[in-house]
Amino acid sequence: MDRQDVTDTATILQLRDTCDLVSKSLKNITCILREFARTHASTPMAARSNLQQAVPISFGFKLARLLATFERHQIRLAEILPRLLVVEFGGAAGTLATISNTGVALQVQEELAKELGLSAPEIAWHTERDRITEIGSFFAMVAGTCAKFALDVKLLMQTEVGEVSEPYYAHRGSSSTMPQKRNPISSVYITAMASTVKQLGAALFDAMVEDHERSTGPWEIEWIVLPQICTMTHAILTHTHEILDGLEVRPEAMRKNLDITKGAIASEAVMMQLGRLFGRQVAHDLIYDLCQKAAREDRPLVDLLSGNENVLNAGVTRKELELWCNPANYMGLSKEMTLRVTDPARP
């Protein structure tokens, strides 16, 4: 057993410890998300497309999508571990030449692996670094998921939106000069660290390009980036868990923001209903014009619809229009999809 055998095996053992921490964090995060999503399965809010209000969804639906992503990460980690947790024991060029004439070389390799709680490799992997790159890429994916969540939290925490807030305790996220502020401090840290993890993860692909049976430098890239990737990935998950554990949700602000467009956020629902009466394209053009007029005149869409000649001639009542223009009535299968993802019996 030579220097790289020792170093690679030690690296795998350290990665096993890191994966244990990541696995526990993923479990804690999914448990919180599952309960949170079920609680808000029917809480209406605006979906955003290109940072503009799109159509109504439920807050639970938003959380359930995040939950499903973290559950996929749990599956990925379980699939990666058998490929990762492998001993390195091959000697100078990986052939076990120094003990090959003993008749028990491979048995020694097996016993060493067993003693360390690892598996024996099918063949030496001194310059085949796919195992390391795969786990580094996985950590980058996890970091990316957390960063996406952090971005949404930052946007929803804006003063003009105010639909959620990070946990509060005295001076957390406060400004040094503006006492009124509550900065999304954990989300800021997640964003910075996730970007760094993704960049460092890319270096592991360079570390794969190793010459012959022992490399002249690429291997050492791992020494530089792996400790940082592991440390920051766990820190990112810790911050994500902290946000979720104390996330302040404001359904009243979500409802208020749904009403900003005075019913226009439900324009698709109205268009689909009217499309059945006088054709989709005609309905689309009519609703488009009325939405622009509603915005210019700051009037509810339902008022303009109820006074429109085409709508009146189609026999649509004011009560029907009010139902169609209510954002809470147009969340699609938000609740059903959320409950499907959060079902305890789901595999």
Side-chain angles (χ1 to χ4, degrees):
M1 193 173 200
D2 73 352
R3 180 174 65 108
Q4 184 164 354
D5 286 338
V6 172
T7 303
D8 279 350
T9 300
T11 297
I12 293 300
L13 292 173
Q14 290 174 312
L15 284 170
R16 181 173 66 185
D17 290 344
T18 300
C19 288
D20 285 344
L21 292 172
V22 168
S23 179
K24 290 174 184 175
S25 294
L26 290 174
K27 182 179 180 180
N28 290 336
I29 287 170
T30 54
C31 285
I32 293 175
L33 276 172
R34 189 171 293 108
E35 185 62 32
F36 230 149
R38 289 185 70 85
T39 298
H40 292 283
S42 300
T43 302
M45 70 176 297
R48 271 86 178 185
S49 171
N50 288 323
L51 293 179
Q52 308 297 304
Q53 288 197 2
V55 294
I57 59 173
S58 75
F59 185 55
F61 175 76
K62 190 177 188 71
L63 294 175
R65 288 169 20 232
L66 182 63
L67 169 61
T69 307
F70 276 116
E71 288 180 336
R72 290 194 294 274
H73 287 324
Q74 288 178 302
I75 294 170
R76 289 185 183 103
L77 181 57
E79 292 171 343
I80 289 170
L81 287 177
R83 292 190 291 272
L84 175 68
L85 301 183
V86 174
V87 75
E88 180 81 283
F89 181 70
T95 63
L96 288 173
T98 57
I99 58 172
S100 61
N101 60 355
T102 64
V104 293
L106 292 177
Q107 183 181 344
V108 170
Q109 186 184 69
E110 289 276 359
E111 290 300 319
L112 173 63
K114 187 184 300 183
E115 181 68 22
L116 296 173
L118 301 174
S119 297
E122 66 275 32
I123 197 168
W125 52 279
H126 293 119
T127 52
E128 287 71 41
R129 311 307 291 179
D130 54 291
R131 290 182 169 91
I132 306 299
T133 304
E134 183 178 31
I135 192 63
S137 300
F138 170 72
F139 289 156
M141 288 178 65
V142 171
T145 297
C146 295
K148 183 270 189 286
F149 168 63
L151 175 59
D152 283 355
V153 170
K154 288 187 289 185
L155 293 172
L156 293 174
M157 272 189 72
Q158 292 180 102
T159 305
E160 298 81 2
V161 181
E163 295 182 2
V164 305
S165 285
E166 287 191 6
Y168 171 78
Y169 49 82
H171 305 296
R172 184 185 189 277
S174 61
S175 167
S176 60
T177 58
M178 294 166 281
Q180 84 281 7
K181 290 183 67 183
R182 282 181 61 182
N183 293 318
I185 192 66
S186 285
S187 295
V188 169
Y189 293 153
I190 291 169
T191 301
M193 289 189 290
S195 180
T196 305
V197 167
K198 287 181 285 182
Q199 294 301 317
L200 292 174
L204 292 175
F205 286 91
D206 287 328
M208 291 183 71
V209 187
E210 301 200 356
D211 39 304
H212 299 304
E213 284 61 57
R214 288 298 176 92
S215 69
T216 53
W219 178 44
E220 285 78 2
I221 293 173
E222 295 175 4
W223 304 0
I224 300 168
V225 301
L226 268 180
Q228 298 177 76
I229 290 172
C230 293
T231 302
M232 284 190 282
T233 298
H234 185 241
I236 288 166
L237 288 166
T238 299
H239 278 290
T240 300
H241 179 267
E242 182 180 353
I243 294 175
L244 286 167
D245 196 37
L247 188 69
E248 298 177 7
V249 183
R250 300 190 177 91
E252 69 284 356
M254 294 177 179
R255 181 68 216 202
K256 180 181 177 182
N257 291 334
L258 280 170
D259 294 336
I260 286 176
T261 61
K262 298 185 180 296
I265 193 170
S267 62
E268 183 184 68
V270 180
M271 179 189 70
M272 297 304 292
Q273 294 290 347
L274 293 180
R276 297 189 178 97
L277 301 176
F278 40 77
R280 186 187 183 283
Q281 192 58 50
V282 173
H284 176 277
D285 293 343
L286 170 65
I287 299 302
Y288 178 84
D289 291 339
L290 291 181
C291 283
Q292 305 312 306
K293 185 176 181 180
R296 287 195 306 271
E297 300 178 3
D298 194 28
R299 295 175 60 190
L301 178 61
V302 67
D303 288 350
L304 298 178
L305 284 165
S306 61
N308 181 268
E309 183 177 353
N310 290 334
V311 176
L312 291 172
N313 291 339
V316 181
T317 66
R318 170 82 184 201
K319 185 176 181 180
E320 288 177 307
L321 291 172
E322 289 176 348
L323 288 172
W324 297 346
C325 289
N326 184 348
N329 294 331
Y330 194 63
M331 293 194 293
L333 297 178
S334 290
K335 180 178 180 180
E336 290 80 358
M337 290 181 178
T338 299
L339 295 179
R340 182 173 66 182
V341 171
T342 60
D343 185 352
R346 179 169 168 265

